[in-house]
Amino acid sequence: MRIVVLSGGIGGAKFLAGVRAHARTLGAEVTAVVNVGDDVRMHGLQICPDLDSVMYTLGGAHDPDRGWGRVGETWVVKEELAAYGVEPSWFGLGDKDTATHLVRTQMLNAGYPLSAVTAALCARWQPGVTLLPATDDRLETHVVVDVDDERRAIHFQEWWVRYRGDLPTHRFVFVGADNAKSAPGVLDAINAADVVLIAPSNPVVSIAPILAVGALRDAVASGPAPVVGVSPIIGTSPVRGMADKCLTAVGAEVSAAGVAGLYGSRSDGGVLDGWLVDSSDAGTEVAGVTTRAVPLWMTDEDATAAMVRHALELAGVNA
Ligand code: FO1
């Protein structure tokens, strides 16, 4: 069986650990198509937070408390940059993490595409799934906000890390999406998949930038594989992260139904056939989409693997 997962960073990585665990029991292959909208260049280094969160988590090297970056991290580089008064001081690069960005940036500067660089980095971490960026092209999420008495577009990382999303926020723009092509292997994986899963990642700033790559969205929406999404909202709260702030900014309800409404039914031009919601949200109805309520708290790998089994059952593929 072939499973494709559309994923953001920290929550998506946790979900993918459950997908990998369940896939091992089936002898299935997993391909993760990961958001690059959070990517940013800082201090001359190319940083790919979502790819790195997935790679470190599946490689057993992530910091489970912080969620992002490496476990056992040290911060000498950050302190030294601060001592020079170098901005941005609001964004912290750990020493171990910095090595990843140095390798990535050197390879990109030498002309390798991000997909090839990611494969090279994964040779060390052995994530057990194929990790693909949604695109090798520049695609960055910018946020239109009111700050210092003017309306400006700032990078997603500045919106989130510097301002914690606490600014009057008008919209999210995926810079470069119009011309972005899907990375090598992405369309083939989607077209060959038995099922496409949408991780319980942020629908507005993690999954939407992936689906903003036109050919990729078309492949998911019109491809042969059933598509099942997992709600990132339980009740009225995100499982983790800032999905509530993002949904409010785009005028969507902060609920499992609100997120499914954004994705839409495949029978009506959207991307979903099935929608997994938490047991506490049983009764959620989404036009044209089959919903099922199961426990969605990713408390450990077994609980997450059980969610994945339910998702595959909902997709009608042999679980
Ligand atoms: N998140 C923070 O809250 N503060 C940081 O200084 C920070 C640095 C950072 C560096 C590398 C990296 O891969 C991720 C980093 N993050 C940091 C996490 C990141 O901002 C976000 O949580 C994601 O982009 C959202 O998935």
Side-chain angles (χ1 to χ4, degrees), residues 218-297:
D218 290 347
V220 173
S222 318
V227 183
V228 170
V230 180
S231 176
I233 303 288
I234 296 182
T236 56
S237 307
V239 174
R240 70 165 297 142
M242 76 307 273
D244 49 345
K245 285 196 165 84
C246 297
L247 286 165
T248 304
V250 300
E253 187 181 88
V254 184
S255 69
V259 178
L262 282 184
Y263 289 145
S265 160
R266 287 223 301 170
S267 59
D268 198 22
V271 293
L272 289 179
D273 297 301
W275 187 231
L276 220 53
V277 303
D278 185 63
S279 311
S280 61
D281 293 316
T284 299
E285 286 187 18
V286 185
V289 177
T290 310
T291 61
R292 181 170 301 174
V294 300
L296 285 193
W297 290 109

Side-chain angles (χ1 to χ4, degrees), residues 34-40 50 139-142 155-156 174 205 209:
V34 179
N35 173 42
V36 296
D38 294 19
D39 294 10
V40 67
D50 287 2
L139 191 168
E140 266 179 24
T141 301
H142 290 203
H155 192 283
F156 166 77
F174 307 126
V205 296

Side-chain angles (χ1 to χ4, degrees), residues 8-10 38 47-50 52-53 56 68-69 78 90-94 97 101 156-157 160-161 164 206 242:
I10 302 167
D38 294 19
I47 298 151
C48 300
D50 287 2
D52 286 350
S53 286
Y56 291 153
W68 52 272
K78 182 183 179 200
W90 46 264
F91 197 77
L93 293 183
D97 197 27
H101 310 316
F156 166 77
Q157 293 297 345
W160 176 236
V161 176
R164 295 330 292 181
S206 297
M242 76 307 273

Side-chain angles (χ1 to χ4, degrees), residues 152-168:
R152 282 201 284 133
I154 59 176
H155 192 283
F156 166 77
Q157 293 297 345
E158 186 171 6
W159 179 78
W160 176 236
V161 176
R162 182 177 187 183
Y163 293 107
R164 295 330 292 181
D166 282 331
L167 288 175

Side-chain angles (χ1 to χ4, degrees), residues 45 56 73 77 93-103:
L45 299 177
Y56 291 153
E73 189 56 282
V77 170
L93 293 183
D95 300 334
K96 294 181 179 184
D97 197 27
T98 295
T100 304
H101 310 316
L102 282 167
V103 174

